[in-house]
Amino acid sequence: EAYYKAQRYEEAATAYADFLKQHPNDSRIDDIIYQLGLSYYQQMLSADRDQTSTRNALNVFEELLRRFPEYPMAEETGYLIQRCRNRLAEHEVYVGHYYLKKEYFQAAITRLEKSLTDYPNYYYRDKAYYYLGLAYLQTGQNDKAKEVLNQLFEQFPGSEYLIQAQKALAEDY
């Protein structure tokens, strides 16, 4: 705990993980798992960087709720899980957009579809729909592009991407 309080999160994660291995039946196991998750969570990087810590935090928090559904911090843990999932989705969209800009359209499609499939509650799905629609248009898959962009129009009527999406569709039809 001293490592965590000193904001030395890597060392804290290692210490918590070691404690869990050495004392798997300790009465404080739920709190230790939570602290391990927080240690990873504090190491999360921005969406354009490696997401190993985000995945580690997500896995630990999900394990905590699986093993201890009545954990007193379950609501907070659920919130942290959603934050981790949003960051992972944001990463997928970031990489998908990068591929789109570099004209690796199939790679962009793969990443953007993954973001929508794996993270259906991602807060900025409108951006993913928009980029995916553009990638489909670039590969000549106009029907898929229209389908995806229609989802953008229906689900996000106030999206900042609507006008650009309408223009992109108009150019290709």
Side-chain angles (χ1 to χ4, degrees):
E1 211 165 311
Y3 287 131
Y4 187 86
K5 289 184 179 190
Q7 298 181 355
R8 295 170 56 188
Y9 301 118
E10 275 187 53
E11 289 114 327
T14 301
Y16 287 128
D18 286 345
F19 183 88
L20 289 170
K21 286 178 190 168
Q22 293 173 16
H23 308 282
N25 298 319
D26 190 277
S27 63
R28 302 166 293 165
I29 196 90
D30 52 356
D31 290 325
I32 302 300
I33 294 171
Y34 182 72
Q35 286 301 127
L36 174 60
L38 287 178
S39 297
Y40 287 130
Y41 183 83
Q42 293 296 338
Q43 297 176 64
M44 285 175 26
L45 301 174
S46 60
D48 62 332
R49 308 283 306 276
D50 178 55
Q51 294 301 306
T52 301
S53 293
T54 308
R55 282 194 246 349
N56 288 342
L58 177 62
N59 291 336
V60 169
F61 289 139
E62 287 177 338
E63 177 190 350
L64 173 64
L65 292 186
R66 223 178 1 264
R67 288 178 62 185
F68 304 98
E70 301 300 319
Y71 182 61
M73 299 288 289
E75 187 175 334
E76 174 73 14
T77 304
Y79 170 75
L80 294 169
I81 286 171
Q82 188 56 44
R83 297 272 319 254
C84 291
R85 287 180 181 156
N86 273 332
R87 179 60 53 84
L88 293 171
E90 186 180 5
H91 176 72
E92 293 297 325
V93 172
Y94 175 85
V95 173
H97 183 236
Y98 171 82
Y99 286 146
L100 184 62
K101 290 189 302 187
K102 293 293 183 182
E103 299 183 1
Y104 300 130
F105 301 119
Q106 192 54 52
I109 289 169
T110 300
R111 287 312 267 268
L112 294 163
E113 284 178 342
K114 180 176 173 44
S115 74
L116 292 167
T117 302
D118 291 356
Y119 308 105
N121 296 323
Y122 175 48
Y123 189 74
Y124 297 106
R125 284 187 332 276
D126 60 334
K127 184 189 292 190
Y129 282 130
Y130 173 64
Y131 292 150
L132 182 57
L134 292 182
Y136 280 140
L137 288 173
Q138 292 296 323
T139 59
Q141 299 178 65
N142 292 359
D143 289 341
K144 281 189 172 184
K146 187 176 181 184
E147 181 182 322
V148 166
L149 293 175
N150 279 336
Q151 286 182 294
L152 168 66
F153 302 143
E154 292 168 13
Q155 293 180 26
F156 300 93
S159 172
E160 65 183 282
Y161 298 101
L162 290 181
I163 293 172
Q164 295 165 289
Q166 289 170 336
K167 286 180 185 176
L169 272 178
E171 289 173 7
D172 283 332
Y173 276 100

